[in-house]
Amino acid sequence: MPDLCEELTAHRPDRPAAVAFGVFDGVHLGHRYVLATVVRAAQQRGLAPVAVTLANHPLSVLRPEVPVRMLTSLDERLSLLAETGVEAVVPVAFTTEVSLLTPREFMTALRDCLGMAHFAAGPDVTLGHNREGTLPVLTALGDELGYTMECVEQLALDGEPARSTAIRQALDTGDVARAARMLGRPFALQGPVVEGERRGGGLLGYPTVNLGVGPKQAIPADGVYAAWLRHGTDRLPAAVSIGHKPTFHEGGPSVVEAFIIDFEGDLYGERVKLEFVERLRGQEKFDGVDALVAAMRDDVARTRRILALPQEES
């Protein structure tokens, strides 16, 4: 446990802490509800509100053969957590050693190394070896170890619990609007603009920027989307295609490419962010270039309407 204690001590506040713990992937409205509860409890008790997040998903250690698709990168997650009103965000590595800690050992580390005096969690919380740290167990440990325990009810939106799993399921069907409702903001992809096949501008008349996306990043289902592209302080309208380019490839690599509407310029190597607004259609294989170009023309016109842009003059 020395490594865990060092990570916690490095962020220990100058007074006892009220703590929320989890992966917090996406930092969605359910997470924000828990964190708001922690901030409020800290204010009432004179404590420092702290979010402890696992830097890596537990499945990457417990079941490395299972692919893990994250809604946000670690840097994005830390930035979003810092916006919730907590005074400290503590990333800790989930290791085999950490996975073997009993609930008592883990909560003792939070108490001794981070100064935890209050702990907030949902009713279905499980932590520690074999997920033995349920709400009743953690409550009993609080009486013994000297911290108070608060149960935060699960936030539901339209009758559905706001969970990272539910957001991934929405993305799997291309329902970016549903994902946005649970996130409290548009689902977004961030990354560098990379080299593509350079077919869009010459052959198709729709030059695109290709986004470099990591293998562990969750992405929406294959299809075409209306989106906003952010580059620095610029917010630019874009029609985004995700998929394998079936008109040109059989089983080619999946790419994320955006046609930026009414834009001329070169963004190669620049870091951009795509904020998804609405899915227009699924990915299709067209009979030829002319049919594809006609569909792309319609995609751009629909994107203009969805984003409330002036229609292109004919």
Side-chain angles (χ1 to χ4, degrees), residues 147-161:
Y147 63 84
T148 52
M149 183 78 195
E150 181 173 7
C151 177
V152 185
E153 293 301 319
Q154 177 73 51
L155 178 69
L157 300 170
D158 300 324
E160 178 183 22

Side-chain angles (χ1 to χ4, degrees), residues 8-19 38-52 85-88 90 109-118:
L8 295 172
T9 303
H11 298 273
R12 181 170 182 152
D14 59 2
R15 61 192 188 283
V19 176
V38 167
V39 170
R40 183 169 56 252
Q43 292 172 341
Q44 294 170 347
R45 292 168 168 81
L47 305 174
V50 175
V52 178
V86 296
E87 291 185 17
V90 186
L110 291 180
R111 183 197 65 181
D112 294 347
C113 306
L114 189 62
M116 180 187 70
H118 183 75

Side-chain angles (χ1 to χ4, degrees), residues 69-247:
R69 299 174 302 122
M70 302 296 288
L71 300 172
T72 48
S73 68
L74 178 59
D75 286 343
E76 292 171 305
R77 195 179 351 142
L78 296 180
S79 177
L80 288 167
L81 287 170
E83 296 172 0
T84 64
V86 296
E87 291 185 17
V89 179
V90 186
V92 298
F94 187 83
T95 62
T96 300
E97 180 187 39
V98 170
S99 75
L100 296 175
L101 294 177
T102 66
R104 176 190 299 276
E105 290 170 331
F106 186 78
M107 300 305 282
T108 298
L110 291 180
R111 183 197 65 181
D112 294 347
C113 306
L114 189 62
M116 180 187 70
H118 183 75
F119 189 79
D124 57 353
V125 60
T126 55
L127 57 81
H129 186 52
N130 290 332
R131 304 170 66 88
E132 294 173 350
T134 60
L135 183 64
V137 169
L138 298 181
T139 301
L141 283 173
D143 294 337
E144 181 181 339
L145 298 178
Y147 63 84
T148 52
M149 183 78 195
E150 181 173 7
C151 177
V152 185
E153 293 301 319
Q154 177 73 51
L155 178 69
L157 300 170
D158 300 324
E160 178 183 22
R163 299 177 183 273
S164 300
T165 300
I167 295 171
R168 293 189 190 95
Q169 291 171 344
L171 295 177
D172 286 343
T173 63
D175 195 345
V176 293
R178 176 172 159 236
R181 287 195 296 273
M182 287 184 278
L183 286 167
R185 64 184 188 280
F187 174 76
L189 294 175
Q190 298 187 46
V193 175
V194 299
E195 289 280 350
E197 297 177 346
R198 293 187 176 271
R199 184 184 289 118
L203 179 63
L204 304 177
Y206 289 92
T208 61
V209 297
N210 286 53
L211 187 69
V213 179
K216 295 183 179 180
Q217 171 68 57
I219 62 174
D222 287 1
V224 180
Y225 298 82
W228 293 101
L229 182 146
R230 290 188 180 272
H231 173 239
T233 59
D234 294 330
R235 183 172 180 258
L236 308 170
V240 178
S241 174
I242 298 177
H244 303 270
K245 299 185 179 181
T247 303

Side-chain angles (χ1 to χ4, degrees), residues 233-308:
T233 59
D234 294 330
R235 183 172 180 258
L236 308 170
V240 178
S241 174
I242 298 177
H244 303 270
K245 299 185 179 181
T247 303
F248 300 104
H249 298 291
E250 290 290 342
S254 182
V255 297
V256 178
E257 54 183 349
F259 170 68
I260 308 175
I261 299 173
D262 301 330
F263 174 81
E264 294 183 7
D266 185 348
L267 295 178
Y268 282 115
E270 296 292 315
R271 188 169 183 83
V272 300
K273 178 179 182 180
L274 289 174
E275 297 177 341
F276 291 82
V277 177
E278 185 175 320
R279 191 178 196 230
L280 306 181
R281 60 176 174 87
Q283 194 68 254
E284 301 177 43
K285 181 176 182 178
F286 295 93
D287 292 335
V289 171
D290 290 344
L292 173 58
V293 170
M296 294 173 69
R297 187 180 303 116
D298 182 62
D299 293 336
V300 172
R302 291 179 63 192
T303 297
R304 285 182 178 274
R305 288 194 294 272
I306 290 168
L307 301 183

